[in-house]
Amino acid sequence: MESYTPAEKRARNRLFLKGLRQATADCVDPRITSRIAEIDRSAAERGARELRALHDLRADARIALAKAKATERSAPRAERAAARQARKDAEQRVRLAERAVNRAEN
């Protein structure tokens, strides 16, 4: 997964177009391709960090859901409604985290 900043997107597009014009003249400057590769490399590193963070977030949400389920099962009758709502909130957080991970991986 790559995560380009807006400035990197602009710079990469500008360099790509410059390289395209030079390619039509058959004299591509190697600094352009190396700069594009550098931008791609930094975006890939940033994307990997973001993906790791999303996986950690999903794992934390799953742990919180397991705790909420255990709390709901062991809650006294008077507190069961609040525990059920806490479980539903935890399930929603898990769904959101899984959706974010799936979007990032695809």
Side-chain angles (χ1 to χ4, degrees):
M1 176 180 125
E2 289 142 353
S3 177
Y4 293 99
T5 64
E8 286 176 337
K9 287 179 186 178
R10 287 189 303 271
R12 192 178 189 288
N13 287 337
R14 189 177 61 249
L15 289 169
F16 177 78
L17 291 175
K18 190 173 184 178
L20 182 64
R21 283 191 301 269
Q22 289 181 359
T24 59
D26 200 27
C27 61
V28 178
D29 187 4
R31 289 179 294 183
I32 292 175
T33 55
S34 65
R35 178 67 183 128
I36 289 174
E38 181 182 327
I39 290 171
D40 290 343
R41 198 170 30 257
S42 67
E45 290 171 3
R46 186 179 310 104
R49 284 193 307 268
E50 290 175 4
L51 190 59
R52 272 195 307 274
L54 286 172
H55 281 289
D56 292 343
L57 181 69
R58 181 178 63 181
D60 292 344
R62 286 179 176 171
I63 291 170
L65 175 60
K67 288 180 182 179
K69 283 182 178 181
T71 302
E72 181 184 12
R73 288 184 187 124
S74 64
R77 187 171 196 78
E79 299 172 9
R80 194 158 293 154
R84 184 179 306 114
Q85 186 59 43
R87 177 188 49 85
K88 288 180 181 180
D89 292 343
E91 287 174 345
Q92 180 64 25
R93 282 192 299 274
V94 168
R95 278 193 294 274
L96 290 173
E98 287 178 347
R99 201 172 301 142
V101 169
N102 288 339
R103 268 195 314 260
E105 288 179 339
N106 295 332

